[in-house]
Amino acid sequence: MTTQTIAGPAMRVRGLEKSYGKLEVLRGVDFDVAPGSIFALLGSNGAGKTTTVRILATLLKADAGTASVNGFDVATQPANVRESISLTGQFAAVDEILSGWENLVLVARLRHLKDPGSIADDLLRRFSLTDAGPRKVSTYSGGMRRRLDIAMSLIGNPSVIFLDEPTAGLDPEARIEVWHAVKELAEYGTTVLLTTQYLDEAEQLADRIAILHQGRIIVNGTLAELKRLFPPAKVEYVEKQPTLEEIFLAVIGSGEKSDATGTTTGGQG
Ligand SMILES: Nc1ncnc2c1ncn2[C@@H]1O[C@H](COP(=O)(O)OP(=O)(O)OP(=O)(O)O)[C@@H](O)[C@H]1O
Ligand SMILES: [Mg+2]
């Protein structure tokens, strides 16, 4: 249950600009994220995904434009924003020497919550880590660590969670485990903004997908809407739906020719 009822979007971003010296990273970024939805921000290396997340999480100030999270302005009400969010970066912030359970209890204690033990038990169950709970995190796989990291970020019930490349560096199986965890977040009503370079990740998870390119959002829609922008290529009798990768390369105007046969990576199960 979310503790706050908000009217309007969980995030609203308008005309966001940010430069580092002469490098103009964000040049007018606009998007909205609906409460309880998963929003994927796609972009190449250096497109400004992390910069956008850091501004929304109040860790960085924008040069121009506005952004609000949960109805609170990131520039003028940063404390309120911080109370409603949690951020997990690419590198899991878990303590290796402690067990998974102890990590969770520690965070719950730091947040002065009642009954840290049962909070830890619940989260371990939710993220399928009950058996691993008593073990030191140093014995966990990458996917288990990432799940624990996401579990830790949920302590205190933030209504908005930022996941900056949640599956970077994970093997395919571990990625799927993390995907399950992320899908669950949205089912519990948490709003998720995730950044990714994995196009299949956005296809799997996101209610809406936005592509950040050269400082602006150049496409924003559901996967179905994005696919409609690029009608399937008709080759004799076979109708081929474009993959998100093809859409991505087409909209960012990559000169490279991609293999038109596409790749199938176990999508049939
Ligand atoms: N503190 C900083 N000082 C100077 N330049 C920076 C700083 N932080 C980021 N940049 C530059 O800004 C650009 C955008 O960086 P950002 O980290 O937002 O990209 P990203 O989309 O998250 O990339 P990646 O996919 O590699 O994580 C990059 O060119 C980066 O080198
Ligand atoms: Mg980044």
Side-chain angles (χ1 to χ4, degrees):
M1 292 288 283
T2 45
T3 48
Q4 254 173 325
T5 340
I6 50 158
M11 280 170 253
R12 173 181 286 260
V13 176
R14 290 291 179 275
L16 217 55
E17 293 177 22
K18 180 71 192 177
S19 299
Y20 297 107
K22 279 188 182 166
L23 180 68
E24 295 183 324
V25 177
L26 305 180
R27 303 193 300 165
V29 169
D30 302 302
F31 62 85
D32 286 344
V33 181
S37 69
I38 303 181
F39 185 85
L41 195 55
L42 280 177
S44 316
N45 280 129
K49 302 180 297 296
T50 299
T51 299
T52 305
V53 167
R54 287 174 59 82
I55 291 171
L56 287 170
T58 76
L59 299 173
L60 188 67
K61 282 210 182 332
D63 299 333
T66 57
S68 66
V69 176
N70 237 11
F72 300 115
D73 187 277
V74 296
T76 59
Q77 302 170 292
N80 297 344
V81 172
R82 272 180 234 134
E83 275 167 24
S84 33
I85 64 165
S86 101
L87 168 68
T88 80
Q90 188 184 337
F91 303 102
V94 292
D95 188 317
E96 300 271 317
I97 295 165
L98 300 179
S99 71
W101 187 85
E102 288 166 336
N103 265 286
L104 292 164
V105 166
L106 180 67
V107 175
R109 286 222 178 104
L110 290 172
R111 303 228 164 144
H112 307 290
L113 298 174
K114 266 190 259 167
D115 207 353
S118 66
I119 291 173
D121 291 339
D122 286 348
L123 283 167
L124 288 172
R125 200 172 318 120
R126 225 175 113 182
F127 289 92
S128 311
L129 290 168
T130 300
D131 292 345
R135 267 167 41 204
K136 279 188 184 180
V137 170
S138 55
T139 68
Y140 284 21
S141 71
M144 290 163 78
R145 262 170 229 235
R146 205 60 61 78
R147 261 148 56 213
L148 180 64
D149 191 42
I150 295 174
M152 282 165 66
S153 72
L154 287 180
I155 294 173
N157 282 325
S159 51
V160 173
I161 175 165
F162 298 103
L163 301 171
D164 195 6
E165 304 203 24
T167 64
L170 297 184
D171 69 31
E173 228 172 308
R175 289 176 65 210
I176 290 169
E177 288 174 6
V178 171
W179 288 353
H180 283 307
V182 175
K183 278 182 184 161
E184 257 208 22
L185 292 184
E187 280 162 21
Y188 275 73
T190 310
T191 307
V192 180
L193 186 152
L194 78 96
T195 75
T196 186
Q197 291 184 43
Y198 297 121
L199 303 167
D200 57 335
E201 183 157 293
E203 275 196 272
Q204 283 288 326
L205 291 180
D207 297 305
R208 287 188 83 81
I209 297 162
I211 298 176
L212 180 60
H213 185 62
Q214 294 181 347
R216 291 193 180 85
I217 301 290
I218 54 169
V219 173
N220 179 345
T222 63
L223 184 61
E225 286 167 356
L226 264 56
K227 286 191 168 173
R228 244 177 274 136
L229 285 177
F230 296 87
K234 286 202 174 110
V235 184
E236 295 197 14
Y237 312 105
V238 184
E239 213 182 57
K240 184 178 170 292
Q241 292 292 331
T243 64
L244 185 56
E245 183 166 5
E246 287 163 337
I247 296 168
F248 179 83
L249 292 174
V251 292
I252 72 168
S254 164
E256 289 184 20
K257 279 186 186 143
S258 63
D259 180 1
T261 57
T263 50
T264 50
T265 47
Q268 305 291 353

